[in-house]
Amino acid sequence: MKAAVIVFPGSNCDRDLAVAFRAAGFDVDMVWHKDTELPQGVDVVGVPGGFSFGDYLRCGAIAARSPIVAALKAHVEAGGYGIGICNGFQVLLETGLLPGALMRNAGLKFICKPVELSVETTASDFTSGYSAGQTVTYPVAHHDGNYVATPEVVAALEAEDRVAFRYCEDLNGSVGRIAGILSENRRVLGLMPHPERAADPALGTADGAALFAALAKAGVAA
Amino acid sequence: MKARVHVMLKDGVLDPQGEAVRHALGSLGFEGVNGVRQGKVIELDLAGEDPAAAEAEARKMCEALLANTVIERYEVEIL
């Protein structure tokens, strides 16, 4: 399995994400935001956390219009895997590859701490390594993680089993305590908490490693 | 030619920052502030002389980048 991690000016979780992919057995290439093509044979594209373009205008807005994101869209539209974490989730929403938007946390504070999440579905190649309803701990570090979408979009996400993770307790005002969602074809995951920062026991929790391992396994089977 | 773009959260979208400003005004003794909505103003300096074309172009920019129409609405003013 081959992964590409996009690097924007201001990304700060790109190398953590690469480490987590490599630990799960992926070959990893880093790609620069100005690149117009992904490397040959990439199975999954990771959009990392950070503060791309200084969060100017809106979080993820400028990154979502960068040349490499056009290649990411083509990759996803051809059925490729994509994962956007934290700022990466904001980028995926700004591209329209996932529905909804992320607003300022309801409490207006930047929240940086480990949080408990409930795995809401195991029916995806990201979450198949967990059991349904399992509680996992990933860190969060965000100011704009308050997920909003129209009632119709939220109802569709719930009905189609596309809520991947939910905060066990209200964290930031997100509708339905939604922490992460899947695309219609279940091959794109966007989430605010950081599995890549929880992918090694030395980091305090290795709960996130199962996500990358499940994805690697799905690729081998495919 | 200059254009001014106003970007505001859509009605019905909760504005946590506006709410915080409302509370702060209340604590400063300003009474009767029933609501505060916070938005952005973006000024564009555009080449070209045709106001209608400038407005059309600014609207395209709003749709493409300046506003997130999932949660925001925009108005374009030609100055």
Side-chain angles (χ1 to χ4, degrees), chain B residues 29-43:
Chain B
F30 292 100
E31 290 174 12
V33 181
N34 292 329
V36 174
R37 308 283 285 171
Q38 186 179 317
K40 294 187 190 95
V41 176
I42 301 166
E43 288 187 344

Side-chain angles (χ1 to χ4, degrees), chain A residues 57-58 61-62 65 93-94 99-108 146 148-150, chain B residues 7 9 13-17 19-21 40 42 63-68 70-72:
Chain A
L57 190 64
R58 294 180 305 277
I62 297 177
R65 278 80 180 172
L93 294 170
E94 281 280 344
L102 288 156
M103 294 186 47
R104 184 53 43 102
N105 293 338
L108 299 175
N146 179 354
V148 295
T150 61
Chain B
V7 181
L9 286 173
V13 176
L14 182 70
D15 177 5
Q17 294 181 96
E19 274 301 286
V21 172
K40 294 187 190 95
I42 301 166
E63 292 288 333
L65 177 65
L66 301 181
N68 177 348
V70 175
I71 49 172
E72 293 170 330

Side-chain angles (χ1 to χ4, degrees), chain A residues 1-5 21 26-30 39 41-46:
Chain A
M1 280 284 265
K2 196 166 171 181
V5 175
F21 273 129
F26 286 85
D27 291 326
V28 182
D29 280 329
M30 309 303 276
V42 162
D43 301 288
V44 54
V45 178

Side-chain angles (χ1 to χ4, degrees), chain A residues 28-64:
Chain A
V28 182
D29 280 329
M30 309 303 276
V31 293
W32 184 232
H33 69 111
K34 285 186 177 168
D35 292 352
T36 52
E37 285 178 13
L38 292 166
Q40 282 285 315
V42 162
D43 301 288
V44 54
V45 178
V47 190
F51 300 86
S52 59
F53 297 92
D55 280 349
Y56 291 172
L57 190 64
R58 294 180 305 277
C59 300
I62 297 177

